[in-house]
Amino acid sequence: MALIETENLSFTYPSGMKPAVEDISISIEKGDFVVLTGPSGCGKTTLCRCFNGLIPHFYGGKLEGNITVAGYNVAKCLVYELARHVGLVFQNPENQLFALSVEKDVAFGLENCGMPRDDMRKRVDWALQMTGIEELRERAPHELSGGQQQRVAIACVLAMQPEVMVFDEPTSFLDPLGAQKIFEVINDLNKELGITVILVEHRLDLASRYANHVIVMNEGKIVLDGEPHKVFNSERARLIGVGIPKATRLYQILRENGLKLSKVPINSEEASQFLRKILTHD
Amino acid sequence: MSVFDGLKFRKVSSPVHNLDPRVKFFFVCVLFVVAVMFFQLLPLLVLFFVPIPFVLVARVKREWIRSLKGASMLAFIIFFFNFIFNYIYNEYPNIPSASLIEYSVAMTLRFVVLVETFSVFFLTTSPDLLGLALEQSHVPYEFCFAFTTAVRFVPVLADEAQTIMDAQKSRGLELERGNFLKRIKNYIPILIPLIVSAIRRSLELAEAMESRAWGATEKRTNLYVLRLGKTDYALAFTSIFMLVVAILVWRFVPIPPLSVILSFLQL
Ligand SMILES: Nc1ncnc2c1ncn2[C@@H]1O[C@H](COP(=O)(O)OP(=O)(O)O)[C@@H](O)[C@H]1O
Ligand SMILES: [Mg+2]
C-alpha cells in the first residue's frame, strides 16, 4: 500500500459554503518527492492540513471519503499521534517558532512526547546538523533572518523523525537564494534520509528538478497528477495559470515553430543538453 | 528605534546573570521580608546597600538607576503622605519632630529597597531561565508556556504596532490631534488591525503547536535542567543567614532611632 492514500476525499470548513477540496483521490509512494501546485485558493493548504490531521481535528468541518497516512486513518487518529509520522512546515516561519532559543524550539516536539533528556540532546544536535544551523543553536528564533527561521522550522519537524514531511509554500517569504537553500535542504532529507516529501510551491523553475511526482490542483480538485515532464508539458497546466518551468515553455515554443527536441526538459540543464544534441546533429 | 526597545532582553553573561533564578528569587524574597519586618531607619539603610554589589557585578548600573528614577515619583508620594497623615494624626499643632521625619524616610526607604531588589532580579534574569525555573517548580506547563510565549511575542507585536502606526499615519491619520477623548479615539484604527493580526497569529501558533505533538503525554520532559552550583549555594546560605540575623535582631535588639545615635556620636 502507498504511504499516503486518499479516496474521494472532500472537506468543507465549518464556515464554508462549498468544499475547499473535493473528490481528491491520490496515492503517494514512500520516498516520493511530490510537488503540489496550483493557483492561490485552490485548496493546497487545506490538503496539507488533511495529511497531518489538523483537518478534521483542529478545524472541525465536514470530512468525507477516506484518507490514510503511514497506515493511520486520519479521521480516527489524534493530531499528536500523527505528529510523529507526519511533519508540517508552515508558510510563515515567524508564527511557528515560539521558544526563546533555537535549540529549545527544536526540542519542543520531543519534550511533548516525553523523550528522555540524553536521547533528546542527540536528536536535537542531529536535526540542527542536518539543516546546517548548528551555530544558531543559542540564538533567539525571532532575531534570525527568514531563511534561517525556515531552516529552524524544518529542524523542529525533522527532530521528530517523521516518515513524511509536508512543506506548505516554505519559501514564499524568502528571496530566491534563500529559497534555493531551503530546496537543497529538503532534497537532502528526501535523497539521504528517504523521507517522503510533499512540497507546495509556485517557484516550479527551482523546485521541479527535485520532484518525481507532480500534482496540480485547481478549484479544490486534482487536475493533473503524474510524472513531472508529462504534467508540465500538458496544455492544461499552462491554461490554469501554473507557472510551468521556463525550459518546458521553451520546448513548447520551439515545437510550435517546427523544432522538436528529443524529450521534454523541465530545467535549464536538461534544456541545454537536448538543444546541444539537436544543434550538433544538424 | 522606539519606546519598545526596553522590552527586549539582551543576552548577557555575568556571575549574577548565571545564578539559578530560584535561588535569586529566594534572596529577593528574604530581602523583601526583612524590609517589611523593620520600620526603623537604621536596618533599612543597611538593606538599601545590599543590592548594590550585585548591580555592580552584573554591570547593569545604567538600567538599574533608570528603574530607580522611574520609581522616585512614587517614593516621594509615599514620603509625603506618611509625613502629612502622621503629623496631622499625632503631632498637630506642634512642630514636626525628628522621629516623625525619620519614620517617614524609613517607610520611603522600605519602598525603595523593594524596588531596587526586584529591579536587580528582573534585570539579571533571562526570561528563558525564568520560564525554566517555573517549570521545575511544578508550575503547570501551560502557564510556563504562556509566559515564555508572551515574552517572545511582545517585541514582535511592538514592531507590528509601529508598522501599523506608520501605515495609518501615511494615510493621513493624525495621532496627536484633538482633546483627550479624541486622542484615544485616534488609536482605534491602530488597535483593530493589531488585534486582528494578533488573533490570526495565535491561531497559526496553535496550529504549529498541535502539529508538534502538543499534549502527547502528561509527563513532559525538558531539554534543559537547572542545577545548583557553588555560587547558588553560597547565595542561598547568605540569604538564610541574613534572615536568621534579622529575626534575632528584630526579636532581641532594641534599635535606637538614628537621631539618638547621631547625638550620641556628637558627645
Ligand atoms: N480556516 C478556514 N476557514 C474557512 N475557509 C477556509 C479556511 N482556510 C481556507 N479556507 C478556504 O478554503 C479554500 C482553499 O484555501 P487554501 O487551502 O488556503 O488554498 P491555497 O493554500 O491553495 O491557497 C479557499 O476558498 C479559502 O477561502
Ligand atoms: Mg496556502
Side-chain angles (χ1 to χ4, degrees):
Chain A
M1 204 179 115
L3 192 61
I4 298 179
E5 240 173 39
T6 72
E7 234 176 53
N8 308 108
L9 182 77
S10 297
F11 175 77
T12 315
Y13 283 102
S15 60
M17 301 309 261
K18 62 182 186 51
V21 293
E22 205 175 349
D23 202 19
I24 306 274
S25 299
I26 49 173
S27 135
I28 292 168
E29 298 294 334
K30 191 165 169 38
D32 269 2
F33 192 123
V34 182
V35 164
L36 174 60
T37 190
S40 299
C42 72
K44 304 179 297 292
T45 301
T46 307
L47 191 57
C48 291
R49 289 173 181 151
C50 295
F51 291 141
N52 85 331
L54 284 174
I55 286 176
H57 304 292
F58 184 79
Y59 279 93
K62 200 166 91 206
L63 185 75
E64 287 163 302
N66 288 323
I67 170 164
T68 54
V69 177
Y72 293 87
N73 181 347
V74 172
K76 298 214 176 78
C77 190
L78 291 166
V79 180
Y80 62 72
E81 287 173 59
L82 271 171
R84 294 171 215 208
H85 305 280
V86 188
L88 182 50
V89 175
F90 297 85
Q91 188 166 11
N92 186 349
E94 199 170 59
N95 292 342
Q96 53 186 317
L97 303 174
F98 26 73
L100 296 164
S101 77
V102 167
E103 242 183 11
K104 185 92 175 127
D105 230 325
V106 174
F108 181 80
L110 305 173
E111 292 179 339
N112 285 335
C113 294
M115 182 182 266
R117 182 169 304 115
D118 295 337
D119 300 346
M120 185 147 60
R121 166 55 57 200
K122 282 188 204 126
R123 271 289 185 89
V124 169
D125 289 348
W126 171 81
L128 290 174
Q129 190 205 333
M130 283 306 297
T131 44
I133 48 171
E134 282 153 302
E135 73 285 355
L136 303 179
R137 60 172 70 229
E138 299 274 323
R139 299 274 296 278
H142 56 277
E143 287 167 0
L144 303 176
S145 74
Q148 288 172 326
Q149 282 184 342
Q150 203 54 288
R151 277 196 276 172
V152 174
I154 293 175
C156 290
V157 169
L158 180 64
M160 306 279 279
Q161 295 193 335
E163 290 132 87
V164 187
M165 283 176 77
V166 183
F167 302 86
D168 187 6
E169 301 192 39
T171 65
S172 56
F173 286 68
L174 309 184
D175 54 288
L177 190 63
Q180 178 70 40
K181 276 191 194 146
I182 295 292
F183 291 143
E184 274 158 21
V185 170
I186 296 174
N187 188 45
D188 286 348
L189 301 181
N190 176 250
K191 302 292 172 327
E192 284 174 26
L193 304 175
I195 294 174
T196 307
V197 166
I198 300 170
L199 172 62
V200 177
E201 198 46 67
H202 287 296
R203 302 187 192 197
L204 297 176
D205 268 310
L206 286 174
S208 56
R209 68 181 67 223
Y210 307 112
N212 68 333
H213 185 171
V214 174
I215 299 175
V216 179
M217 290 179 73
N218 192 25
E219 296 180 347
K221 298 201 178 81
I222 302 287
V223 182
L224 295 160
D225 178 4
E227 203 276 331
H229 297 80
K230 258 194 215 137
V231 169
F232 290 137
N233 193 31
S234 135
E235 191 65 7
R236 269 185 95 183
R238 195 164 59 86
L239 292 180
I240 293 169
V242 170
I244 59 170
K246 292 192 187 63
T248 313
R249 187 70 196 121
L250 176 68
Y251 166 86
Q252 292 169 348
I253 293 171
L254 287 177
R255 203 182 50 183
E256 278 161 25
N257 289 307
L259 181 64
K260 189 156 185 332
L261 303 186
S262 53
K263 273 193 257 167
V264 185
I266 59 169
N267 55 47
S268 44
E269 286 84 15
E270 284 183 4
S272 77
Q273 191 192 330
F274 300 157
L275 272 173
R276 182 165 296 137
K277 224 194 251 167
I278 272 201
L279 293 178
T280 48
H281 263 275
D282 289 351
Chain B
M1 171 210 80
S2 70
V3 281
F4 302 115
D5 270 358
L7 298 171
K8 287 180 191 155
F9 187 89
R10 275 164 222 79
K11 274 192 182 149
V12 211
S13 182
S14 83
V16 179
H17 284 85
N18 297 344
L19 282 168
D20 189 306
R22 292 168 297 179
V23 176
K24 224 188 301 183
F25 189 70
F26 177 64
F27 176 67
V28 169
C29 289
V30 167
L31 280 184
F32 188 95
V33 168
V34 175
V36 174
M37 264 160 62
F38 294 96
F39 55 87
Q40 300 93 332
L41 188 55
L42 192 60
L44 286 166
L45 212 52
V46 174
L47 282 180
F48 177 81
F49 291 104
V50 172
I52 291 175
F54 290 89
V55 173
L56 295 180
V57 172
R59 284 194 243 116
V60 289
K61 201 170 73 196
R62 242 192 17 204
E63 295 87 342
W64 186 71
I65 288 176
R66 197 183 314 147
S67 68
L68 283 192
K69 267 188 198 151
S72 60
M73 187 63 198
L74 207 55
F76 180 75
I77 292 173
I78 288 174
F79 175 80
F80 183 75
F81 278 101
N82 262 302
F83 184 79
I84 290 291
F85 282 113
N86 278 305
Y87 177 66
I88 293 173
Y89 203 74
N90 298 326
E91 298 185 0
Y92 185 80
N94 306 331
I95 314 166
S97 66
S99 75
L100 174 62
I101 295 178
E102 193 176 322
Y103 174 78
S104 307
V105 171
M107 288 301 103
T108 311
L109 209 53
R110 179 191 271 175
F111 168 73
V112 172
V113 168
L114 299 188
V115 171
E116 58 173 348
T117 47
F118 273 101
S119 109
V120 184
F121 180 76
F122 285 108
L123 282 174
T124 63
T125 307
S126 78
D128 29 350
L129 271 187
L130 201 56
L132 195 59
L134 288 177
E135 265 178 69
Q136 293 192 7
S137 316
H138 303 286
V139 174
Y141 181 69
E142 286 77 5
F143 181 81
C144 310
F145 183 81
F147 171 77
T148 47
T149 314
V151 171
R152 181 230 178 286
F153 277 97
V154 161
V156 176
L157 285 183
D159 269 355
E160 197 158 276
Q162 189 73 51
T163 312
I164 293 173
M165 253 193 264
D166 292 344
Q168 298 288 46
K169 272 189 204 160
S170 73
R171 292 178 189 170
L173 178 75
E174 285 174 324
L175 288 175
E176 322 295 340
R177 193 86 175 269
N179 60 18
F180 184 67
L181 266 180
K182 182 89 193 352
R183 279 187 197 202
I184 292 181
K185 254 197 188 150
N186 285 348
Y187 274 87
I188 292 177
I190 293 179
L191 273 182
I192 289 179
L194 194 62
I195 292 171
V196 168
S197 125
I199 291 174
R200 213 201 52 230
R201 205 183 274 283
S202 66
L203 278 177
E204 278 183 32
L205 212 59
E207 229 182 336
M209 284 163 62
E210 289 278 334
S211 309
R212 275 152 70 188
W214 171 263
T217 78
E218 289 286 298
K219 284 202 198 66
R220 233 181 151 267
T221 47
N222 205 313
L223 180 64
Y224 301 133
V225 60
L226 284 175
R227 287 209 185 82
L228 298 182
K230 267 192 208 126
T231 39
D232 296 316
Y233 281 113
L235 183 63
F237 283 123
T238 314
S239 316
I240 294 171
F241 180 72
M242 268 177 52
L243 189 62
V244 171
V245 169
I247 290 173
L248 291 178
V249 169
W250 175 70
R251 187 78 186 73
F252 299 111
V253 185
I255 300 172
L258 204 60
S259 43
V260 175
I261 301 177
L262 286 180
S263 59
F264 182 77
L265 285 178
Q266 270 169 3
L267 280 179

